[in-house]
Amino acid sequence: MKKLCRIVSGALAALFAAALLAGCSEEGASGSSDAPSAAPTGGYVEEDVSPDHNYNVGLFAVDGVLNAFTVENPATPLSRQTAHWYALGQDGQWQEQGGSGFEQLAAQVGEGIAYPTAYLTQGGKLYWSVTVITEDAEKTSETSYFSVENGTTQKLDALPAGEAGLAFDSSIASVAVCGDTLITTSTSMELAACDLTGASVQMELPELEMGSRLLCGSANGYYLMDDQNKVWHYTLGGTTAELALDGGRFSISDPGLFVQSAVVGPEETLYFQMSDGNMASGNSRLLRYRWDSELAASAGGELTIFSLYRSDTVEAAVNAWQKATGGAATYSWALEEGSEDGFSTVTGSREDALTQLNTQLLAGSGPDVLILDDMPVDSFIEKGLLMDLSGKVDTNGMLENMIGVWQTERGLFALPARAFPLLAGADEATLATIKDAETLAGLLAAEPNIVDDGRNEAMPLLAYYNTVQLFDTFYPLYAHDIWQGGQLNEDACRAFYELLGQIRAGGGAGLSNTAPFDRPDGTYYHPQNSTLSNFTNCICRAFCSPVYSLNGLGGDFYYASRVGGANAGEVKALATASGVTSIQPACAAGVNVSAQNPEGAVQFIQTLLSEEVQSQTTYDGVPVLKSAVLSQWEEGFAQYDASSGTDIVAVLEGMDPNVPSTVLRSAVGAGAQQYFDGAGLDEAVETARQESALWLAEQG
């Protein structure tokens, strides 16, 4: 009996081993990524086996051989695309196959944007489906089907018979091949079984729920399903599922990529085609997970990481750290985030989690690494609970203003791995009109309407859905003045409400004030990416938003240019008239002064700041490593042939770090909501004072 004890990519090895290897125990608890604690005796090895031109349009295991179909220049007319048919040889090398017939397809389909899909049957017969989308006065699409015999393509009058016909059938969502049996999922979310000819086979099958997806099957009599962000293993003919992968806690490969297709290869080797969903990015890879019974751990040891809320960046670092060190990491978080009726929800109590953590830290125990977002960092530093990282972590290459956020005369106690900069962007002429926040307020007040309701006759400068987004544009800039010296500055708070009121009385008169200013459970504030999406959809002429990712801005300017005409844009930090800007550090990491694995903990923070992790697009903040900032920025513009003269590193480094408080933002938001509802300024300011009084008293 084998017991898996080393995780190579998140929890992939442990969880798949639990489902596919006899005798493996399933470990893990809600809100945690549990790595095994016994001495390693084997594990899955992750290998990138991507063929050239890896935009995959078909992945199949036939007669023990893995076949991959890829295309160059996807999402273009078929005449501009080139297809490749690869087979993986026994030597582990891809061998290009002839006879795909692809070059004959272009002459038989239209000139619109083409989306080809290959299907290779268990008998080795190749078929193609090509959907062509044409945009003239209106968008139309047409799908054609082709069979390939000895390299010669024949256009079919109808869907082919058998398994290829099922795979191409618009009423069938997915097909899994389990030897001579096919399991299909219909678009109405029903599972069915049939043989390779398509004839129905009577078999007991589980019932699907919304969100379920059939991934792949195995000739050894099982199939894998994705259900509620978890991958389940089903034995053919049964309805009992074993958990194979908990995708809510771990990612195969890297965050930002999803499973496009999957195949079980020879010797139960697992292959996952990963993609970020962006055809232009080229960010896709084919990963193989192979069991190695001789795999031994290296010097990484065991490491524990804790945060209040799950972080994709932390999970990316967990994967990278484990692969680099051979160690076993346990990443856990206290609160489970979700949504209900359009509002964010969280299971668990922040206060209870912090009380428990404080008790552990004061007793000289607790996790090795702390992700400090929404934690009382200053209090931890004052109590001596965090290790001084001075000289232990290489910060060369980081944005200069992000290095010393938690630097005191006693040392350096935390470093952020991500940040939310408050940026304004537009074409050069439009951006020049947004001189500062106060000027912007006047411009918005003068607009006829800044409500995104689809009825604006003229495109406004900015467009909002509700007052929460309006609040999020300006609050980060004035928070420091409002909370001077750790107390509410009533004059500054009043002036801030008056600025918002100026906008609300003008162009913002129709903004809805129904959305809550804080998440119902008071969780960590992640700023709303408000006007950026409206700018991209040509609803407004500029954006002013906390930015989550840099590599999408090129596309944002490209799509916005459909009205303006020029796909060039400039970005700058929004500032007050006195020059205050805001960049919010996020994913801040520190080391428990009583860490059981201090060397591994320091190495983990270095991994967080590594090029490998920083360059990943996780949509939970922009990188803090300058090289990753530049690569995301430049690649994002290059993908869409857009341009910008902005020195983005200089912009970010020139911004003022702003460490937010969930409670204080909520307090000011409560007063603003009252003011928008018609209360007087004095009443609104008093509400902010009362809402913050207890928290401020607790902070001393």
Side-chain angles (χ1 to χ4, degrees):
M1 294 174 62
K2 299 187 182 77
K3 178 177 174 60
L4 180 65
C5 295
R6 179 177 184 265
I7 300 178
V8 176
S9 179
L12 179 72
L15 294 174
F16 268 120
L20 303 179
L21 300 173
C24 283
S25 64
E26 180 180 312
E27 302 191 36
S30 176
S32 66
S33 154
D34 288 342
S37 57
T41 57
Y44 272 96
V45 177
E46 178 192 273
E47 300 166 298
D48 189 333
V49 294
S50 303
D52 293 335
H53 318 297
N54 186 40
Y55 182 77
N56 191 277
V57 294
L59 187 66
F60 310 95
V62 176
D63 291 333
V65 176
L66 184 69
N67 295 264
F69 293 82
T70 70
V71 296
E72 299 179 58
N73 304 317
T76 62
L78 206 64
S79 57
R80 294 178 54 190
Q81 299 185 35
T82 302
H84 302 272
W85 177 3
Y86 296 103
L88 194 61
Q90 293 184 350
D91 60 356
Q93 301 298 311
W94 289 106
Q95 300 169 1
E96 187 152 11
Q97 309 296 296
S100 73
F102 187 84
E103 65 280 356
Q104 303 168 37
L105 301 181
Q108 303 182 64
V109 299
E111 277 301 309
I113 304 300
Y115 299 90
T117 303
Y119 192 89
L120 188 64
T121 70
Q122 292 302 290
K125 182 73 176 291
L126 177 60
Y127 294 88
W128 288 97
S129 167
V130 181
T131 298
V132 176
I133 297 177
T134 305
E135 294 192 49
D136 295 319
E138 59 183 37
K139 181 182 290 187
T140 60
S141 67
E142 181 180 3
T143 301
S144 304
Y145 307 103
F146 304 87
S147 64
V148 181
E149 292 274 3
N150 299 319
T152 300
T153 300
Q154 179 181 355
K155 189 172 185 178
L156 304 177
D157 295 329
L159 283 168
E163 56 180 299
L166 292 172
F168 293 154
D169 191 334
S170 60
S171 67
I172 301 295
S174 56
V175 176
V177 180
C178 306
D180 294 333
T181 302
L182 304 178
I183 304 297
T184 65
T185 307
S186 69
T187 53
S188 58
M189 303 296 294
E190 294 180 351
L191 285 177
C194 60
D195 61 22
L196 296 181
T197 69
S200 178
V201 173
Q202 295 301 311
M203 183 179 296
E204 189 175 14
L205 296 165
E207 293 185 4
L208 293 183
E209 298 181 1
M210 186 63 65
S212 298
R213 182 168 65 127
L214 189 61
L215 287 179
C216 61
S218 167
N220 290 329
Y222 66 86
Y223 53 96
L224 301 177
M225 291 184 58
D226 179 3
D227 184 7
Q228 301 300 320
N229 208 26
K230 294 178 174 64
V231 177
W232 298 91
H233 170 280
Y234 286 85
T235 300
L236 202 62
T239 59
T240 300
E242 295 178 83
L243 183 63
L245 173 66
D246 186 344
R249 317 227 199 291
F250 318 105
S251 57
I252 304 172
S253 179
D254 302 321
L257 299 181
F258 66 91
V259 179
Q260 180 181 345
S261 57
V263 164
V264 180
E267 299 179 356
E268 305 304 294
T269 301
L270 308 169
Y271 293 87
F272 288 89
Q273 180 66 46
M274 311 301 300
S275 171
D276 66 357
N278 183 352
M279 293 183 183
S281 73
N283 190 14
S284 62
R285 64 193 69 169
L286 179 60
L287 300 179
R288 173 171 63 197
Y289 294 94
R290 174 179 53 83
W291 176 259
D292 183 352
S293 60
E294 302 300 320
L295 196 65
S298 62
E302 295 181 10
L303 188 71
T304 53
I305 305 122
F306 174 78
S307 63
L308 288 177
Y309 317 101
R310 188 185 69 83
S311 164
D312 283 341
T313 297
V314 173
E315 289 189 340
V318 167
N319 291 344
W321 182 87
Q322 289 181 139
K323 281 184 275 189
T325 68
T330 299
Y331 173 37
S332 60
W333 52 95
L335 307 175
E336 291 286 357
E337 298 180 276
S339 63
E340 184 176 344
D341 298 329
F343 295 109
S344 298
T345 61
V346 167
T347 303
S349 165
R350 171 181 174 272
E351 290 72 21
D352 290 347
L354 287 177
T355 297
Q356 182 178 1
L357 177 63
N358 264 299
T359 301
Q360 293 174 344
L361 296 178
L362 291 170
S365 60
D368 297 311
V369 178
L370 298 172
I371 305 303
L372 296 159
D373 294 353
D374 207 21
M375 292 186 187
V377 186
D378 292 341
S379 174
F380 287 173
I381 294 173
E382 183 178 345
K383 294 175 181 177
L385 300 178
L386 297 179
M387 176 191 294
D388 180 8
L389 301 176
S390 302
K392 296 182 174 68
V393 177
D394 183 3
T395 58
N396 288 326
M398 284 183 65
L399 296 171
E400 293 295 332
N401 53 341
M402 291 289 98
I403 297 174
V405 177
W406 288 282
Q407 175 94 47
T408 73
E409 60 183 17
R410 296 166 53 192
L412 175 65
F413 295 97
L415 288 164
R418 290 286 189 254
F420 296 121
L422 181 60
L423 300 177
D427 61 73
E428 187 174 3
T430 302
L431 192 61
T433 66
I434 308 176
K435 296 178 180 179
D436 52 50
E438 290 82 357
T439 300
L440 175 60
L443 293 172
L444 296 180
E447 290 278 4
N449 185 15
I450 62 171
V451 184
D452 175 20
D453 59 3
R455 296 194 296 270
N456 285 330
E457 294 183 5
M459 190 184 299
L461 181 62
L462 299 178
Y464 298 92
Y465 296 117
N466 53 44
T467 53
V468 179
Q469 293 180 331
L470 176 64
F471 180 92
D472 282 351
T473 300
F474 293 93
Y475 175 73
L477 301 175
Y478 296 95
H480 181 268
D481 288 341
I482 292 172
W483 301 107
Q484 285 181 6
Q487 296 296 323
L488 177 67
N489 182 318
E490 296 188 3
D491 290 339
C493 187
R494 184 177 289 104
F496 174 63
Y497 288 157
E498 287 178 326
L499 179 138
L500 295 181
Q502 175 188 2
I503 302 170
R504 186 70 191 284
L511 285 177
S512 167
N513 193 33
T514 57
F517 269 93
D518 57 338
R519 298 161 109 178
D521 28 65
T523 65
Y524 184 54
Y525 165 55
H526 287 284
Q528 296 198 37
N529 206 5
S530 52
T531 56
L532 185 55
S533 60
N534 294 333
F535 173 72
T536 306
N537 291 319
C538 303
I539 295 170
C540 56
R541 306 193 310 275
F543 70 83
C544 184
S545 297
V547 173
Y548 288 78
S549 173
L550 292 174
N551 67 350
L553 290 181
D556 296 328
F557 282 112
Y558 168 77
Y559 289 114
S561 71
R562 290 174 293 178
V563 173
N567 58 341
E570 305 300 325
V571 168
K572 69 179 182 182
L574 182 65
T576 65
S578 61
V580 176
T581 57
S582 173
I583 181 169
Q584 174 185 325
C587 195
V591 175
N592 180 356
V593 73
S594 302
Q596 298 299 303
N597 185 357
E599 292 183 2
V602 170
Q603 188 176 20
F604 181 80
I605 293 181
Q606 196 71 69
T607 302
L608 272 172
L609 301 174
S610 67
E611 185 76 36
E612 178 182 357
V613 173
Q614 288 286 302
S615 61
Q616 295 184 32
T617 301
T618 53
Y619 298 101
D620 55 357
V622 305
V624 297
L625 193 67
K626 285 186 277 191
S627 58
V629 167
L630 280 174
S631 64
Q632 285 197 5
W633 175 261
E634 293 170 353
E635 289 171 7
F637 279 88
Q639 288 171 20
Y640 293 92
D641 196 25
S643 62
S644 174
T646 299
D647 184 343
I648 189 62
V649 170
V651 169
L652 297 181
E653 285 195 314
M655 299 180 73
D656 302 318
N658 170 30
V659 182
S661 161
T662 301
V663 176
L664 297 185
R665 175 191 173 274
S666 177
V668 178
Q673 194 162 20
Q674 274 194 329
Y675 183 53
F676 289 152
D677 282 335
L681 281 171
D682 290 342
E683 183 180 351
V685 172
E686 177 62 18
T687 295
R689 189 191 67 78
Q690 292 179 359
E691 291 286 328
S692 62
L694 178 60
W695 187 86
L696 290 173
E698 290 174 346
Q699 302 306 304

